[in-house]
Amino acid sequence: MSSCRKKKRLLAERGLACWNQWKGNDRPALHELVSDTCGQWLFSRSPRLGFEIVQESLLVEAYTQHAEKKGSLRFSSVDFSGVLRVTDAAAFSDALYGGIGHAKAFGCGLLLVRAA
């Protein structure tokens, strides 16, 4: 589930229209919501992409939602950093050269790796 959908679901459960209406101690920090959701997205895809992530090393940074001026084109981008281990060299090679995610046409999904 995307962080946007999760946020909308949390708001709907409380009968709220926007994030700023949610007052109280039970409101999760938005950066935590995004970090958890994006981290889960990457963890769920990593086995088929040929790598595993060292969980405590994963950082989720620079989350941005992109939209065309009229609001019709929408996608999100996020920067991940951390340590990974290659588990399937062929699948990892495909991910490295082909990218991951759905917004590759917009320059997203590129992997920058270096040996540890």
Side-chain angles (χ1 to χ4, degrees):
M1 175 183 302
S2 75
S3 58
C4 209
R5 278 185 266 161
K6 189 171 183 178
K7 185 173 111 176
K8 286 179 182 179
R9 183 183 52 79
L10 289 169
L11 290 172
E13 287 172 358
R14 287 155 184 81
L16 302 173
C18 68
W19 195 253
N20 292 333
Q21 291 177 338
W22 189 343
K23 307 294 183 204
N25 295 333
D26 64 334
R27 177 180 142 179
L30 195 52
H31 72 275
E32 289 175 15
L33 181 65
V34 167
S35 182
D36 290 346
T37 304
C38 292
Q40 288 172 8
W41 179 89
L42 187 61
F43 276 107
S44 71
R45 283 155 179 78
S46 62
R48 73 173 172 78
L49 296 171
F51 62 88
E52 62 184 26
I53 303 160
V54 177
Q55 187 163 6
E56 59 274 3
S57 73
L58 183 64
L59 292 175
V60 178
E61 306 169 306
Y63 176 80
T64 307
Q65 288 186 327
H66 305 272
E68 192 178 66
K69 288 182 182 180
K70 295 178 184 175
S72 60
L73 173 68
R74 289 191 57 121
F75 66 94
S76 299
S77 64
V78 63
D79 292 344
F80 295 102
S81 61
V83 176
L84 61 80
R85 287 186 200 96
V86 175
T87 57
D88 179 340
F92 182 71
S93 179
D94 289 345
L96 184 61
Y97 290 108
I100 61 174
H102 297 287
K104 293 185 289 284
F106 302 102
C108 299
L110 305 174
L111 298 175
L112 174 63
V113 297
R114 65 175 180 209

